[in-house]
Amino acid sequence: MIILKPTKGKLLIAEPSLTGDVSFNRSVVLLAEHSNEGSVGFILNKPLEYQINELVTEIEIPFRVYNGGPVEQDNLYFIHKVPHLIDNSVEISDGIYWGGDFETTVELINKEIISEDDIRFFLGYSGWSSLQLDQELSSKSWVVVENEHESRIIQKAATAIWKENMIQLGGDYLLWSNSPENPSLN
């Protein structure tokens, strides 16, 4: 297996050994930033029970909200693939952008110009201090993979992402692809 370095735009796949970690068990994290100062990412496959219109009353359309990670869970973040519509977006990679003008975003969602296939909202984010992610990679908590879906990752079904990556990794990971979420309940 080719071992990749973490860089923004890559995916972090939680190793099966993280089953006891409430935040990251079976998580797939899109790295939005990675530098010597630290790393920031968003968990792509942990949908919450909330809809965006329940959290932001100005939004009329009920888009799903995801748990982005354990840091600042009282703050809302978003990634999208429409930088031509949302000013001040920051490119992550491969046509995926982070944030931007929120008032414009609200207006475009309400006008149905931006659809749920274009944007994903998160409460909180995943964050690592300087060298923390490197230590977790060394202890085999994560596998770094390319984001082969590029901007299509936004509309990817959340429930299948981790399992699909386990199958793609192959080898011993294949066994884990069909295991229950909590193996001790098996």
Side-chain angles (χ1 to χ4, degrees), residues 100-183:
D101 184 307
F102 192 69
E103 286 182 29
T104 300
T105 303
V106 169
E107 183 180 316
L108 294 172
I109 290 171
N110 288 337
K111 290 181 178 178
E112 298 184 22
I113 295 170
I114 294 178
S115 74
E116 201 163 10
D117 287 343
D118 298 322
I119 195 166
R120 188 170 285 197
F121 290 97
F122 303 93
L123 281 178
Y125 67 90
S126 301
W128 294 267
S129 61
S130 178
L131 302 178
Q132 182 183 5
L133 181 56
D134 292 331
Q135 291 168 344
E136 290 184 18
L137 289 166
S138 293
S139 69
K140 307 248 186 276
S141 297
W142 301 98
V143 176
V144 180
V145 300
E146 293 288 346
N147 174 11
E148 295 176 359
H149 304 287
E150 297 176 344
S151 66
R152 295 182 317 277
I153 196 82
I154 290 173
Q155 64 245 36
K156 190 84 178 126
T159 55
I161 292 177
W162 188 83
K163 180 177 179 169
E164 288 172 5
N165 278 281
M166 288 291 105
I167 292 168
Q168 277 187 315
L169 289 168
D172 292 341
Y173 293 103
L174 282 173
L175 174 67
W176 289 100
S177 69
N178 286 316
S179 68
E181 190 160 340
N182 186 344

Side-chain angles (χ1 to χ4, degrees), residues 40-60:
V40 172
F42 299 101
I43 301 173
L44 296 171
N45 62 328
K46 302 281 182 171
L48 296 169
E49 297 298 319
Y50 306 109
Q51 303 293 323
I52 192 64
N53 60 328
E54 296 171 314
L55 301 174
V56 180
T57 56
E58 296 85 12
I59 296 179
E60 300 162 6

